[in-house]
């Protein structure tokens, strides 16, 4: 049985990965933070909609870690 690949994006960094369907965004953030250089405060957008760390990855989803420009903190 072939696994579906999921596309992860963070700026110019792109990874097509296997085995993430059914995992949460938070676990993906931890697992790929170094590989994709994900800022700790980056938002996650799935299909243009903001998702939180408890969102479970579904087949066919592409998601992007986005650092919101202009935030002060």
């Amino acid at each position: 049985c072939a696994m579906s690949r999921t596309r992860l994006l963070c700026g110019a960094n792109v990874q097509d990965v296997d085995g993430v369907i059914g995992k949460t965004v938070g676990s993906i953030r931890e697992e790929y933070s170094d590989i994709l250089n994900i800022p700790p405060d980056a938002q996650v957008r799935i299909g243009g909609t903001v998702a939180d760390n408890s969102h479970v990855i579904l087949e066919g989803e592409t998601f992007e870690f986005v650092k919101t420009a202009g935030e002060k903190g």
Side-chain angles (χ1 to χ4, degrees):
C1 172
M3 298 177 108
S4 294
R5 294 181 73 78
T6 302
R7 177 159 281 187
L8 310 176
L9 301 112
C10 184
N13 299 312
V14 178
Q15 289 282 314
D16 290 315
V17 298
D18 293 319
V20 298
I21 295 180
K23 292 184 178 183
T24 64
V25 167
S27 67
I28 301 304
R29 182 189 297 269
E30 282 184 34
E31 188 173 345
Y32 291 93
S33 64
D34 289 339
I35 296 167
L36 292 173
N37 198 25
I38 301 168
D41 59 343
Q43 283 185 339
V44 175
R45 294 192 183 146
I46 299 174
T49 303
V50 175
D52 64 24
N53 283 333
S54 64
H55 176 88
V56 175
I57 306 305
L58 303 174
E59 187 171 346
E61 288 183 324
T62 294
F63 62 100
E64 183 172 10
F65 294 93
V66 180
K67 178 149 175 75
T68 306
E71 283 189 0
K72 294 184 179 185

